[in-house]
Amino acid sequence: MDQLVSVLQKEIRRSNVDNAVLAAYEMHSTSPEVAGHLWRRLRLIAVEDVGMGAPLAPVLLRELRADYDASGGTDWMQVVHAVRYLATAAKDRTSSEHADYVRTMVEAGNLVVEVPDYALCVHTRAGQEMGRGLLQWWQHGAQVRDESPSADHAYRDALISLCRQAEEASP
């Protein structure tokens, strides 16, 4: 079975649809246990090999698997659709690469989590001990990058104003 799994994954990576579907058929038709392994592998491929190329692929795979299971494992077309989708999708292995890099660096003792100052906010004990409240949160802790150009901050601005008023009113 390990060769079938390898063929399945490598052919999906290379967009070789026909041989990937054939390998999937062999797995699907071998036994319910091997078919279960096929679906686990497809979910992994959706993240490891397709990744950000089609970031909602895991959601589609979950739905296809649910339909497959509802048929008692007989709906072969669900498998074919999953394999064809993954094989023809844009590929992006950077989530896998990032995961492997972080694990390797952490296990070697070369990487630790950095705690930036803005993370110490009203929602953490350290931030509370520093006297940080909601005004600091709204001005610094709630900042986002890659924000949608259509974001309307009327409510945030109103909350900042309310926090300032509360700070001015407190002794």
Side-chain angles (χ1 to χ4, degrees), residues 62-128:
R62 185 173 52 243
E63 291 303 311
L64 291 170
R65 171 74 189 265
D67 290 348
Y68 178 84
D69 289 344
S71 76
T74 61
D75 201 343
W76 160 239
M77 273 196 293
Q78 302 300 324
V79 175
V80 173
H81 187 70
V83 172
R84 291 178 70 225
Y85 178 80
L86 294 173
T88 60
K91 310 298 188 293
D92 180 335
R93 288 188 39 80
T94 58
S95 291
S96 176
E97 294 163 1
H98 200 161
D100 289 345
Y101 172 79
V102 167
R103 180 178 39 249
T104 299
M105 294 299 285
V106 168
E107 289 174 1
N110 296 327
L111 195 61
V112 296
V113 174
E114 294 179 23
V115 181
D117 184 65
Y118 53 79
L120 304 175
C121 67
V122 68
H123 300 102
T124 67
R125 184 176 310 153
Q128 293 165 7

Side-chain angles (χ1 to χ4, degrees), residues 116-124 127-128 130-143 160 163-164 167:
D117 184 65
Y118 53 79
L120 304 175
C121 67
V122 68
H123 300 102
T124 67
Q128 293 165 7
M130 296 168 75
R132 293 184 173 174
L134 288 174
L135 180 60
Q136 185 272 346
W137 160 250
W138 285 113
Q139 290 178 321
H140 304 288
Q143 281 186 11
I160 289 172
C163 289
R164 282 191 179 127
E167 279 189 10

Side-chain angles (χ1 to χ4, degrees), residues 6-19:
S6 186
V7 168
L8 175 74
Q9 189 154 5
K10 304 313 185 288
E11 295 293 53
I12 288 173
R13 281 181 186 161
R14 289 160 177 78
S15 301
N16 294 330
V17 178
D18 291 338
N19 207 36

Side-chain angles (χ1 to χ4, degrees), residues 13-32:
R13 281 181 186 161
R14 289 160 177 78
S15 301
N16 294 330
V17 178
D18 291 338
N19 207 36
V21 169
L22 183 57
Y25 180 75
E26 291 296 328
M27 294 179 74
H28 158 78
S29 61
T30 297
S31 70

